[in-house]
Amino acid sequence: MRDCHLVLREPWRLLFPLGALLAWAGALPWLLFSLGLLPAQGVLNKVLEYRAFLHPVAELEGFVGCFALGLLFSFVKPSWPELLLAVAAPLCAAGLAFVGRWEEGQVLWLLLLGAVVLRFRQSLWLLAGVLLGLAGFALASVSQEWWLRELGRDLVMQGMFSALAVGAARIIRGDGDGRKLPHALGIALFAAGFWIAARYGKPHLGFALRGLVLIAVTWPLRASFEVGPRNLHKSFAHLALWLMAAGTLWVGIIPAVRRAGLHVIFLGAFTCLLCAGFTQLGVSRGRLAAMAGLFALSMFGRVMVELDPPSFHIWMGISAAAFLCATALCAQPASMVSWTKRSFSRTGSESTNG
C-alpha cells in the first residue's frame, strides 16, 4: 500500500522507466539493423518497413507521452484513474500498433489527453491537439478512402502532437494566448495544411503552410528573456518552438528529404521540451547536458541518414545508439530522487512545525 501511495505521489518512478522501455522497443531494432545483427526478414522487420506503425507510436505515445505525463504529474498530482490510464494507454497503443491496428490504440490515449488537457483549457493549442487527435482517429477508423485514412493518420501522428507541443512550449516560455482570434485562425490554417497535403497530393504545400503558422506562433526570434542558465527551462522551450517551425518548413521547402525535417521536430523539438521539464525537477546540469547532447547527436545522425544515404548504416547506428543512451539517462535521474526527498521532507517539517 505504501508503494502505491509513493507511485501516486511520485508518478515519474513508474512512467519514466516505462517510457524508456517503449523507446527501446521502437529504436533498438534500428541499432541492431545498422550493426547487421537483425536480418532483413523477420518479425522485428515490422519496425523497419515503410509506413511501419510501431516505431512512431512507441516513440511518440510511448517515450514522449510517458515522460511528458511523468513531468506534468510531478506538479499536477493525478488521480488513480488518470495514472492507470497513463500506464495503460501507451502500452495498448504500442501493442496494437505492432500488429497494424494503431487506430484502436488511440482510444485510451485520447481519453487520457482529454482529461489532462481540460485542466489547461485556457490554451487553445492544447485543446486543438486533442481535437485534431479525435478528428484523425475518426477519419482513420471510419473512412474507406485511402487519402482520408492517410489524413487521419497524419492528424494523429503529426497534428495532435505538434499542437500539444506548441501549447506546452508556450506555457513554459511564459506566453499567453493573448487575443484568441489570431490563434484560432492559426490553428485553422495549421489543420488546413493536412487537408491540402492529403486531398491534393501536395504534402510540401501543407508543410509549408504549417511552417509559416508555427513561425508566427513562435515569433520573436530573439526571446524576451535572457537565454541561458538563468532561464534554462524557458530557453529549452524557446528552442523547441523554433526547431518545430524549422523542421516543418524544411519539409515544405526540401520535400526530397522529408524524414530529415520530421526528425528535427521529433528528435529535436520534442526532446527539448522534455529537457525543459527536467530543469524544473532538480536534475543536475551535468546530467542534463549529457541528455541534451545525446539527443542532439541522435538528431544529427538521423538527419545525416537522409543527406548521406551511402553511409546509412553508420549514421543510423550513431543516431540509435545516442538516442538509447539518452533515454537510459532519462529513465530514473538520480538527482530527482534527492529532489523529491527534499521536497517531501520539507513539506513534512513544515506541517510538523505548523
Side-chain angles (χ1 to χ4, degrees), residues 330-342:
C330 294
Q332 186 128 337
S335 56
M336 283 188 60
V337 177
S338 61
W339 176 84
T340 50
K341 285 181 178 178
R342 288 197 306 271

Side-chain angles (χ1 to χ4, degrees), residues 5-51:
H5 287 299
L6 179 62
V7 169
L8 187 61
R9 190 174 60 190
E10 302 173 13
W12 59 268
R13 291 181 180 274
L14 180 61
L15 292 173
F16 284 5
L18 177 61
L21 179 65
L22 290 171
W24 278 64
L28 183 59
W30 286 104
L31 178 60
L32 298 177
F33 179 74
S34 68
L35 295 174
L37 300 177
L38 187 67
Q41 303 296 326
V43 175
L44 287 179
N45 200 43
K46 289 186 176 183
V47 184
L48 309 175
E49 64 189 6
Y50 178 70
R51 302 301 273 177

Side-chain angles (χ1 to χ4, degrees), residues 1 19 23 75 79 100 119 142 144 168 202 209 216 234 240 353:
M1 183 63 70
F75 297 101
S79 63
R119 300 188 183 192
V142 176
Q144 299 300 315
K202 304 287 186 182
L209 177 59
K234 290 185 177 182
N353 293 336

Side-chain angles (χ1 to χ4, degrees), residues 280-302:
Q280 299 300 96
L281 292 182
V283 175
S284 68
R285 289 190 176 178
R287 195 180 186 91
L288 187 64
M291 293 178 192
L294 286 168
F295 281 132
L297 178 60
S298 179
M299 180 186 73
F300 175 75
R302 190 59 186 83

Side-chain angles (χ1 to χ4, degrees), residues 34 297-322:
S34 68
L297 178 60
S298 179
M299 180 186 73
F300 175 75
R302 190 59 186 83
V303 168
M304 289 304 297
V305 167
E306 307 302 324
L307 300 182
D308 184 22
S311 304
F312 169 89
H313 284 81
I314 295 174
W315 293 120
M316 184 59 74
I318 290 173
S319 177

